Amino acid sequence: MYLYDLPTTGAISFAEFLVDDDKKYTSQIAQATQARADLRALLKETKRSEDGERDYIKVVKTVNDYLPYLYGIINRVADGDLKLQSEPVFSWRTTLSSSHILSSQNPRLLFPTLLSDLIFSLLTDAFALSNAALSIVASLGIYERERHISDAERKIKDERLNSAVNLLCQASGIFAHLSKLEPVKEMDHRPPDVRPEVLSALSKMALAEAQTLAIRKLMSKSAYDSTLSPGPPLPKSHPSPTLIAKLFLEITSSVSSARSLAKTPGAIPSSSSGSGSSSLLKFKSKDKDKDKDRISSSSSSSGEVSQDLRNYLAEMTTFSSALSHKWLGVDAGEQSRAGEAVGFLSWAKEELEGLGGIKLKDIGKEKSLKNKGKKERLLEELYSVGVFLQGYKKENDTLHFQPVPTLSELQALTPSGRSALAAIKYEPPQPAFESSRLLEAEDDT
């Protein structure tokens, strides 16, 4: 799973630019400033903390404590109860830019209008939800393979895994919501974090990660049995390999689409002048004298998504594709279509070897395992594919004697993917304070 580097933001006081003629919202404006200050402080604290000490659920709660105030202010400005003395400008440090506007310090960028703060606050919420899901998964370990785990303990951990799935579905919904907002579509000089196509990519990616965890939960009961007796035949506790294959095919399709969207270059103008000057969310560097130079010099790269994220999407696409072919091969082998099984499993083997830079025949050699670390899952899957491939090949060579399909024939045999999850639609919170006109009407009644 992908770990986002949460953004940070600068300080701001709403009282400095909001005009409350009737003094009806003095308390709420002060509370909004405090709620945002709490969010700013927590984001700075999180930035400085070690990975294992970061409480992403606390970040989610703090963002959601602030949002009702922000929605309330936006609505009251829109209906005229509050007025703007000057255009508010919010500073946010971006997360996904490949060059961070060509600065090693990754400076905060300035974004005018209240809506820009809403967009970045929601973006922070989605990043934190995704990171919280990752933290849950990391805390579980590989529980389904523990020798002495009881059914009750496994079910408790399955539910925690399900909680991570839910968090990712929420994140997917927020990313999707942001990608469709008109203010996002109108943004000029925009960093990749707030481009509609990148937000759509993040939504697809979060949902694909959620489906990956859902597959793990589906297979948790059979994982222990398969560890004790790897390879064919499958244990009775094992779910349908066809279903697993289709779920991985859907993941492959979603992540491949996300990768294409994330690779789309941003439309960064060559200067800060022109029609973009009236844009709703035009960004600026903090050094106004250098605005033009910074935007011009970043035109070729600041609109790109970070290489880390693009690499992650590329690897996830290949990995999920390999697993879909693995399970199509296992399904064929379990149905005595041994030639087809050998074909699909050989395909999966090639994909995994290409991804990991290691050959199946080298897995057992000590020198190949010295840097196992983050490749552990990949090596385990390659080993599993090898066991199934050996079993079904032996069966085909001694019993069935079926021809092994070509790659084009295997592609024709590949079914469509199947989605088991949907993004959770984002519902904005109730604004923290209502219109004064509505309150007066209620007093009259």
Side-chain angles (χ1 to χ4, degrees):
M1 295 172 61
Y2 190 80
L3 179 66
Y4 293 100
D5 185 17
L6 295 187
T8 54
T9 185
I12 198 165
S13 172
F14 286 103
E16 292 181 356
F17 57 81
L18 288 176
V19 178
D20 180 16
D21 290 329
D22 298 327
K23 307 301 180 185
K24 293 182 177 180
Y25 300 114
T26 303
S27 175
Q28 290 92 332
I29 291 172
Q31 290 168 1
T33 298
Q34 184 59 56
R36 194 180 190 283
D38 291 342
L39 174 59
R40 175 177 180 265
L42 182 57
L43 289 174
K44 289 181 68 176
E45 177 187 331
T46 303
K47 191 88 170 177
R48 293 192 294 263
S49 302
E50 297 294 330
D51 287 346
E53 300 173 356
R54 294 173 181 172
D55 187 347
Y56 294 111
I57 291 296
K58 185 177 180 181
V59 174
V60 171
K61 182 181 183 304
T62 305
V63 173
N64 285 285
D65 286 344
Y66 169 56
L67 286 174
Y69 291 104
L70 185 54
Y71 274 106
I73 289 172
I74 290 171
N75 289 348
R76 298 298 69 81
V77 169
D79 62 25
D81 275 2
L82 291 172
K83 297 180 177 62
L84 292 176
Q85 180 174 309
S86 59
E87 182 180 57
V89 178
F90 300 86
S91 63
W92 283 90
R93 182 172 281 111
T94 59
T95 292
L96 301 180
S97 174
S98 62
S99 64
H100 302 305
I101 317 305
L102 298 184
S103 170
S104 59
Q105 285 76 41
N106 184 14
R108 288 195 301 270
L109 306 177
L110 301 184
F111 297 87
T113 81
L114 292 162
L115 288 172
S116 67
D117 204 46
L118 174 62
I119 290 167
F120 276 93
S121 296
L122 287 173
L123 195 61
T124 302
D125 194 15
F127 288 154
L129 284 165
S130 182
N131 286 0
L134 189 153
S135 295
I136 290 174
V137 173
S139 71
L140 291 174
I142 310 177
Y143 68 92
E144 57 268 59
R145 298 184 190 175
E146 293 175 5
R147 283 185 173 275
H148 305 295
I149 191 170
S150 66
D151 284 344
E153 290 172 323
R154 179 179 55 77
K155 287 178 181 178
I156 289 173
K157 294 198 173 186
D158 278 352
E159 285 307 308
R160 287 198 27 89
L161 195 62
N162 202 48
S163 297
V165 170
N166 184 269
L167 292 174
L168 286 166
C169 289
Q170 289 182 57
S172 179
I174 294 174
F175 287 132
H177 172 75
L178 283 169
S179 72
K180 297 170 185 174
L181 286 182
E182 284 305 315
V184 169
K185 294 179 181 179
E186 295 172 9
M187 287 180 72
D188 192 14
H189 302 316
R190 55 195 174 198
D193 307 54
V194 287
R195 292 209 314 267
E197 64 273 16
V198 174
L199 291 165
S200 294
L202 297 179
S203 178
K204 290 175 181 290
M205 184 177 98
L207 200 57
E209 289 180 324
Q211 182 139 319
T212 301
L213 297 184
I215 294 171
R216 179 180 173 183
K217 180 176 179 290
L218 177 67
M219 297 179 64
S220 71
K221 186 172 178 59
S222 64
Y224 179 69
D225 295 334
S226 297
T227 302
L228 292 177
S229 181
L234 292 178
K236 292 181 179 180
S237 59
H238 205 285
S240 164
T242 304
L243 172 61
I244 299 171
K246 289 182 177 181
L247 293 173
F248 274 117
L249 283 166
E250 179 65 22
I251 292 170
T252 305
S253 176
S254 294
V255 181
S256 177
S257 175
R259 184 189 178 202
S260 296
L261 289 167
K263 287 169 64 178
T264 305
I268 306 294
S270 59
S271 74
S272 59
S273 61
S275 60
S277 62
S278 61
S279 173
L280 183 63
L281 293 174
K282 172 183 169 184
F283 80 73
K284 309 170 185 176
S285 68
K286 295 196 76 176
D287 186 344
K288 294 181 180 179
D289 293 335
K290 296 181 179 179
D291 255 2
K292 183 173 180 179
D293 290 339
R294 283 182 182 267
I295 293 174
S296 176
S297 65
S298 66
S299 62
S300 64
S301 59
S302 65
E304 294 180 356
V305 173
S306 67
Q307 190 64 48
D308 283 347
L309 180 58
R310 284 183 286 162
N311 288 345
Y312 172 77
L313 289 170
E315 291 171 359
M316 189 177 181
T317 300
T318 303
F319 189 63
S320 57
S321 175
L323 294 188
S324 70
H325 299 143
K326 168 191 171 179
W327 291 109
L328 287 173
V330 172
D331 179 63
E334 295 294 295
Q335 302 298 324
S336 297
R337 303 194 307 272
E340 188 178 318
V342 171
F344 273 118
L345 287 162
S346 296
W347 189 1
K349 170 178 167 289
E350 289 179 8
E351 288 176 301
L352 292 172
E353 287 180 335
L355 187 59
I358 183 173
K359 299 296 183 183
L360 177 60
K361 62 184 177 63
D362 293 330
I363 285 184
K365 297 179 181 179
E366 185 180 353
K367 66 179 182 179
S368 300
L369 298 177
K370 286 181 179 178
N371 297 317
K372 198 173 181 181
K374 64 182 181 181
K375 290 187 176 181
E376 185 170 359
R377 174 81 195 281
L378 175 64
L379 292 169
E380 287 176 351
E381 287 296 346
L382 186 54
Y383 173 76
S384 176
V385 165
V387 172
F388 279 110
L389 178 58
Q390 182 180 29
Y392 293 130
K393 188 175 187 306
K394 181 178 179 181
E395 185 179 322
N396 194 44
D397 290 344
T398 59
L399 182 62
H400 299 294
F401 306 104
Q402 297 170 354
V404 177
T406 63
L407 181 59
S408 59
E409 290 171 333
L410 291 171
Q411 290 170 335
L413 292 169
T414 302
S416 299
R418 176 175 171 180
S419 178
L421 301 168
I424 296 176
K425 183 180 179 182
Y426 176 72
E427 298 291 348
Q430 185 71 23
F433 44 99
E434 297 294 344
S435 167
S436 61
R437 298 184 185 90
L438 179 60
L439 295 175
E440 290 168 358
E442 289 177 349
D443 290 341
D444 292 341
T445 59

